Amino acid sequence: MPFLRTAAKLRSSIGPVTLAYQHRVKASNLRFDPEQLSLCSKLDSLYSSFRSPKMSDRLRMIPDEHLEVAATYYSGGASTSRMLSTLSSSPSSSDNQNFSSIAFATAHSFISTSILPREEQSSGIYIHGSVGVGKSMLMDLFHSICTNGLSTEEQHKETNHDNNNTNNNNNIYKKYHPINLQCKRYHFHEFMIQIHQRIHTYKSLHPKSDPIPSISAQIAQEARILCFDEMQITDIADAMIIKRILTLLLDLGVVVVTTSNRPPCGLYEGGINRAVFMPLVDVMRERLIVVE
């Protein structure tokens, strides 16, 4: 029947985060929320984009061993045009040749982005809303599926239209595989504590060097997908550090999914020298899908 075919098609188009959410609604006292369902759909699209060869290639465009050089280059204010300018030079030393090859890979990652679908162009999702609306729960479902995959079994009623009998004998099995990329989940406060520890370690070894490019490269090596819970910035030191690190991570192709009680424009609100922090707000608005 056409209706049954349509229903089957709709079921097949539902992604793993939506399925996990629906299962949780059925299996617990969780109340169904259409806004939560809408967010599930966006997280499903992001998960599906990781299965795309183009997106996968983009996330791996800069190999781990080249991340620190690329981060240093970006930290100096590099742009795509500047990287292409580097390509046009004729490097003579092996160091310059290596630098040019990394610049080429980085520039190519941005150029190739322009031909990707909209959901695959974004560098992640920024989820904000009041306390208790399910932001962390849905992000954790997304992280769990990216890390461990998801297997589901659904039982659907099948009607025999000749005698109007209904039989519960149609089981549908679905399996979603983990993505082939490292994915890490942090509480944002704990992440910042780790960042300060890394800076201290780096400065003790390299007192005259800038620690941010190296630390950003380390984080990107550890995970190409980062999930932050409860992003909140109240300290000027944290504001200046995360502005640089998060911008570099996005430049290096890391995908960021974060929750917060505030929209991007509300981060570090009323803070000292907030104007210096505001470029990160612009970056997040431009490169993350912002969901309330």
Side-chain angles (χ1 to χ4, degrees), residues 16-17 46-52 56 59-60 141-152 174-184 225:
V17 181
L46 187 58
Y47 168 86
S48 297
S49 74
F50 297 144
R51 317 299 300 182
S52 160
S56 182
L59 290 171
R60 294 186 177 89
L141 285 179
F142 170 79
H143 172 262
S144 175
I145 291 165
C146 287
T147 304
N148 304 311
L150 178 72
S151 297
T152 66
K174 290 187 178 181
K175 185 174 180 66
Y176 296 89
H177 297 282
I179 58 172
N180 192 26
L181 294 161
Q182 282 294 106
C183 179
K184 282 196 171 185
I225 303 164

Side-chain angles (χ1 to χ4, degrees), residues 179-203:
I179 58 172
N180 192 26
L181 294 161
Q182 282 294 106
C183 179
K184 282 196 171 185
R185 190 255 194 218
Y186 295 95
H187 188 280
F188 187 74
H189 178 67
E190 295 171 351
F191 176 76
M192 290 308 303
I193 290 174
Q194 288 191 23
I195 293 298
H196 285 287
Q197 291 171 342
R198 292 186 195 228
I199 290 173
H200 176 76
T201 300
Y202 184 93
K203 294 297 285 184

Side-chain angles (χ1 to χ4, degrees), residues 65-66 69 91 93-105:
E65 62 270 21
H66 293 164
V69 174
S93 71
S94 59
D95 288 343
N96 284 341
Q97 288 174 352
N98 184 46
F99 190 81
S100 183
S101 67
I102 297 167
F104 172 79

Side-chain angles (χ1 to χ4, degrees), residues 5 11 63 71 85 87 104 132 141 150-151 155 178 204 207 211 272 292:
R5 286 196 296 269
R11 287 196 300 269
S85 175
L87 295 177
F104 172 79
L141 285 179
L150 178 72
S151 297
Q155 194 173 67
S204 66
I272 301 172
E292 182 176 4

Side-chain angles (χ1 to χ4, degrees), residues 21 24 73 78 80 82 104 114 118 121 142 144 164 170 176 180 198 203 206 210 233 247 250 265 276:
Y21 171 71
R24 187 164 292 191
Y73 196 59
T80 303
R82 186 172 159 206
F104 172 79
S114 63
R118 173 66 183 89
Q121 290 184 31
F142 170 79
S144 175
N164 292 325
N170 183 22
Y176 296 89
N180 192 26
R198 292 186 195 228
K203 294 297 285 184
H206 312 282
D210 180 5
I233 302 164
T247 301
L250 294 173
C265 62
V276 182

Side-chain angles (χ1 to χ4, degrees), residues 79-229:
S79 63
T80 303
S81 59
R82 186 172 159 206
M83 285 183 283
L84 291 174
S85 175
T86 302
L87 295 177
S88 65
S89 63
S90 300
S92 55
S93 71
S94 59
D95 288 343
N96 284 341
Q97 288 174 352
N98 184 46
F99 190 81
S100 183
S101 67
I102 297 167
F104 172 79
T106 310
H108 181 67
S109 70
F110 278 90
I111 293 168
S112 62
T113 297
S114 63
I115 61 174
L116 291 171
R118 173 66 183 89
E119 65 274 11
E120 296 182 27
Q121 290 184 31
S122 67
S123 296
I125 301 178
Y126 185 104
I127 308 161
H128 69 95
S130 57
V131 176
V133 296
K135 305 182 301 292
S136 299
M137 174 193 69
L138 296 180
M139 187 189 72
D140 287 345
L141 285 179
F142 170 79
H143 172 262
S144 175
I145 291 165
C146 287
T147 304
N148 304 311
L150 178 72
S151 297
T152 66
E153 176 183 352
E154 297 181 67
Q155 194 173 67
H156 296 279
K157 294 182 179 181
E158 201 173 68
T159 302
N160 185 330
H161 292 276
D162 293 333
N163 54 20
N164 292 325
N165 288 332
T166 299
N167 302 309
N168 294 327
N169 58 0
N170 183 22
N171 289 343
I172 296 179
Y173 299 90
K174 290 187 178 181
K175 185 174 180 66
Y176 296 89
H177 297 282
I179 58 172
N180 192 26
L181 294 161
Q182 282 294 106
C183 179
K184 282 196 171 185
R185 190 255 194 218
Y186 295 95
H187 188 280
F188 187 74
H189 178 67
E190 295 171 351
F191 176 76
M192 290 308 303
I193 290 174
Q194 288 191 23
I195 293 298
H196 285 287
Q197 291 171 342
R198 292 186 195 228
I199 290 173
H200 176 76
T201 300
Y202 184 93
K203 294 297 285 184
S204 66
L205 299 173
H206 312 282
K208 296 183 179 181
S209 297
D210 180 5
I212 300 302
S214 178
I215 291 171
S216 300
Q218 289 173 14
I219 296 168
Q221 287 171 2
E222 294 166 3
R224 296 298 175 114
I225 303 164
L226 290 172
C227 296
F228 296 126
D229 190 25

Side-chain angles (χ1 to χ4, degrees), residues 7-48:
K9 184 177 181 180
L10 287 172
R11 287 196 300 269
S12 66
S13 66
I14 293 175
V17 181
T18 299
L19 285 173
Y21 171 71
Q22 291 176 339
H23 175 75
R24 187 164 292 191
V25 169
K26 292 176 183 177
S28 67
N29 292 326
L30 181 66
R31 186 180 65 182
F32 172 79
D33 186 327
E35 292 187 354
Q36 290 178 347
L37 187 65
S38 176
L39 175 56
C40 287
S41 177
K42 292 178 173 61
L43 293 169
D44 282 333
S45 295
L46 187 58
Y47 168 86
S48 297

